[in-house]
Amino acid sequence: AQSVTQPDIHITVSEGASLELRCNYSYGATPYLFWYVQSPGQGLQLLLKYFSGDTLVQGIKGFEAEFKRSQSSFNLRKPSVHWSDAAEYFCAVGLYGNKLVFGAGTILRVKS
Amino acid sequence: DSGVTQTPKHLITATGQRVTLRCSPRSGDLSVYWYQQSLDQGLQFLIQYYNGEERAKGNILERFSAQQFPDLHSELNLSSLELGDSALYFCASSVGDRGVGTGELFFGEGSRLTVL
């Protein structure tokens, strides 16, 4: 069965530091991969998506993610974190019919 | 603002009761999806409708049902409520229904249901 693993439940980084959130997936075919962000009291917002082609994808708010087929990973990165990035981040695999299977989420805390 | 509107934002009810959650998709979107977010289960896909027809079913309980109306808004009906049904229920919409080529779902802010 398709699954998405986000091994880090919480991550704390200092403002201005770099960030990497990990995501591993289990899926038989070429996956469609997404990162969504959920700010407190808000719905989910798409940060970026990977369908094919260049394995490094750029998203909104300065985020990027790299697809590594050999590692079944799609890690999210940002070179310099801002306090406003504190939120919960979800990795997801897209299945036929636009169904998304989400990971458990990683809560990002930013220290000033 | 994603353009997806959900009402009510908060709902408190008792066990055994029935509630209806409403979703208006983005203008032009034909697909509506319902997701449940709970502490123990995370984000779970419940059901998808496309242009009034059920398209896909996920982990939706038999006590729950949904429909999409001709004006494309959708309702999620939850009946015989149990404590464990307390969760944040999200509605999302997208233009199409087949394949994840567009892939982007636009999520509403959710309806928080508390069952006491």
Side-chain angles (χ1 to χ4, degrees):
Chain A
Q2 302 85 1
S3 66
V4 178
T5 302
Q6 293 179 248
D8 304 306
I9 298 174
H10 297 96
I11 280 188
T12 300
V13 299
S14 298
E15 191 169 14
S18 64
L19 169 70
E20 182 168 30
L21 302 182
R22 296 182 291 166
C23 173
N24 293 96
Y25 64 89
S26 171
Y27 188 51
T30 302
Y32 296 97
L33 297 162
F34 307 84
W35 276 98
Y36 280 82
V37 60
Q38 184 180 21
S39 298
Q42 301 293 314
L44 282 78
Q45 181 184 21
L46 180 68
L47 284 176
L48 48 78
K49 58 190 177 186
Y50 171 78
F51 291 157
S52 64
D54 193 348
T55 56
L56 185 64
V57 293
Q58 303 297 320
I60 63 172
K61 305 184 181 187
F63 285 92
E64 66 178 27
E66 186 171 12
F67 169 60
K68 292 186 177 180
R69 186 186 303 275
S70 61
Q71 298 177 18
S72 297
S73 69
F74 188 57
N75 294 347
L76 182 71
R77 301 194 294 246
K78 187 169 185 178
S80 177
V81 169
H82 188 263
W83 64 267
S84 61
D85 293 324
E88 189 163 14
Y89 292 80
F90 293 91
C91 181
V93 168
L95 306 180
Y96 181 82
N98 281 333
K99 175 183 173 181
L100 293 176
V101 175
F102 287 91
T106 298
I107 296 173
L108 173 64
R109 299 189 178 116
V110 180
K111 291 190 301 185
S112 56
Chain B
D1 183 4
S2 67
V4 177
T5 304
Q6 290 187 247
T7 56
K9 291 195 184 309
H10 302 276
L11 191 55
I12 300 174
T13 189
T15 55
Q17 296 298 304
R18 172 189 170 94
V19 299
T20 297
L21 309 180
R22 182 188 170 100
C23 170
S24 294
R26 286 190 325 155
S27 177
D29 284 357
L30 299 179
S31 271
V32 169
Y33 310 76
W34 287 96
Y35 282 81
Q36 179 195 58
Q37 185 179 36
S38 61
L39 285 176
D40 55 344
Q41 298 288 328
L43 265 165
Q44 298 276 320
F45 168 71
L46 295 179
I47 197 163
Q48 176 200 0
Y49 278 82
Y50 175 76
N51 205 20
E53 294 185 1
E54 183 183 303
R55 231 3 146 215
K57 232 173 184 178
N59 302 322
I60 188 166
L61 300 172
E62 285 192 10
R63 299 183 286 109
F64 296 180
S65 65
Q67 54 184 329
Q68 186 179 27
F69 295 87
D71 67 353
L72 301 177
H73 91 270
S74 177
E75 294 182 354
L76 179 67
N77 300 296
L78 315 174
S79 62
S80 303
L81 285 168
E82 302 175 359
L83 296 178
D85 297 328
S86 296
L88 191 55
Y89 291 85
F90 283 110
C91 170
S93 73
S94 69
V95 171
D97 80 317
R98 294 204 171 272
V100 289
T102 59
E104 183 167 2
L105 302 190
F106 294 87
F107 282 81
E109 295 185 359
S111 292
R112 183 169 294 283
L113 173 66
T114 302
V115 182
L116 301 176

